Amino acid sequence: MKLGAGFPMGPLELADFTGLDTKKYILNIMLEKTGLSVFRPIDLLDRLVSEGKVGRKGGEGFYKYS
């Protein structure tokens, strides 16, 4: 997305930036309110959050941060 579309960051980097735990929380609320399965968090997101890999603020998410 950065190179092809010129966005400042790609979708996984944006997820890490906002926090995977925050993203999971929002998806669960949207699922609860709408009942649409499109908002069900994927297994990878559940696993990363349960392992404490919440993104940039935790030092690791989809990417590792020093």
Side-chain angles (χ1 to χ4, degrees), residues 17-55:
F17 185 77
T18 58
L20 300 183
D21 55 335
T22 303
K23 184 160 293 298
K24 181 180 173 183
Y25 176 77
I26 292 168
L27 286 170
N28 283 324
I29 295 293
M30 294 297 292
L31 177 63
E32 179 185 316
K33 296 293 184 188
T34 67
L36 298 174
S37 63
V38 70
F39 293 115
R40 183 168 286 114
I42 61 170
D43 293 337
L44 176 59
L45 181 60
D46 287 335
R47 183 169 43 96
L48 288 172
V49 171
S50 70
E51 293 173 358
K53 298 176 181 176
V54 293

